[in-house]
Amino acid sequence: MAKIRAFLAAELPRAMVSRIASLQERLRSCGADVRWVKPERIHLTLKFFGNIEEEQREVIAAIMEEAASRIGAFSLSVRDLGAFPSPRNPRVIWLGLHGWEENLLPLQRDIESRLQSAGFPPEDRPYRPHLTLGRVKSLKGKEGLVDLMEREREVNLGPMVIDRIVLFRSDLRPTGPVYTPLTVREFSGG
């Protein structure tokens, strides 16, 4: 039986994708050696599964349905530029989210708990929601990148509404990952 590489996430509204693309263009201008995530591939991860069996999709879909029925659409503010492990030594460049503790965290915990009860292993680190913009590949242009990130640190791209969750298949290709929606559940509770 073929395995599927999968993750559960919230898609970003088109308007936010456009604002993120503009920010990436400003950051790209420093010429640093960064593999930028295509704006249309940026998503808000709730759970990364790795490889799952085909029959596990139905279990995940049922858990998604239950979670989505308990929550209504909510808004998150997309602001503040950061990096892992630190802004002075960036490896992963990300955008922060504000207001996530009220709605996103309970949703993520609900899903995580239900998945764990269904036999999926829990995450081994605390949930830290962010939007990954790019990954630094080498030290080339690092100083310019660090300086530009410091200037953009308090960037505010405004609010976005999260109103659904999506189970994505992730196929890794030389040109970058290809994400295919497998199951979509719109929020109907609240």
Side-chain angles (χ1 to χ4, degrees):
M1 178 79 55
K3 294 197 179 237
I4 302 167
R5 181 178 165 87
F7 63 92
L8 186 60
E11 285 184 296
L12 307 186
R14 277 195 190 97
M16 183 55 66
V17 171
S18 174
R19 284 180 244 153
I20 288 171
S22 296
L23 173 62
Q24 283 180 314
E25 281 304 313
R26 293 197 304 272
L27 293 171
R28 193 179 265 125
S29 71
C30 73
D33 190 16
V34 176
R35 183 173 48 245
W36 297 102
V37 178
K38 289 192 164 112
E40 63 276 8
R41 290 188 188 146
I42 296 174
H43 55 270
L44 174 53
T45 303
L46 293 164
K47 174 78 172 174
F48 179 74
F49 294 102
N51 292 323
I52 62 170
E53 303 287 340
E54 180 66 40
E55 60 269 12
Q56 289 177 301
R57 276 179 60 182
E58 291 176 29
V59 174
I60 296 167
I63 290 169
M64 291 169 64
E65 184 68 44
E66 185 68 27
S69 72
R70 301 166 79 95
I71 191 167
F74 59 89
S75 182
L76 296 172
S77 180
V78 180
R79 62 178 206 251
D80 299 335
L81 189 60
F84 297 132
S86 74
R88 303 293 310 153
N89 184 28
R91 303 287 303 143
V92 175
I93 302 164
W94 51 261
L95 270 169
L97 300 164
H98 293 262
W100 62 273
E101 297 90 348
E102 296 165 35
N103 295 299
L104 183 64
L105 185 59
L107 172 65
Q108 188 273 337
R109 284 184 175 159
D110 181 35
I111 290 170
E112 185 73 49
S113 172
R114 290 171 192 280
L115 287 167
Q116 193 172 351
S117 294
F120 290 90
E123 290 295 325
D124 55 1
R125 324 180 264 218
Y127 184 60
R128 289 184 64 187
H130 61 277
L131 304 176
T132 300
L133 299 180
R135 291 176 174 77
V136 178
K137 295 183 347 190
S138 76
L139 295 176
K140 178 184 165 236
K142 179 185 162 196
E143 290 306 314
L145 175 64
V146 168
D147 290 345
L148 186 53
M149 284 180 59
E150 178 59 31
R151 288 196 301 276
E152 293 281 356
R153 186 169 53 95
E154 294 182 8
V155 68
N156 186 345
L157 300 185
M160 67 174 174
V161 173
I162 302 297
D163 61 1
R164 70 189 62 174
I165 49 179
V166 182
L167 178 64
F168 284 99
R169 174 188 187 119
S170 174
D171 294 302
L172 302 179
R173 306 253 168 87
T175 54
V178 174
Y179 301 144
T180 306
L182 299 175
T183 304
V184 179
R185 293 294 181 262
E186 300 208 6
F187 299 157
S188 59

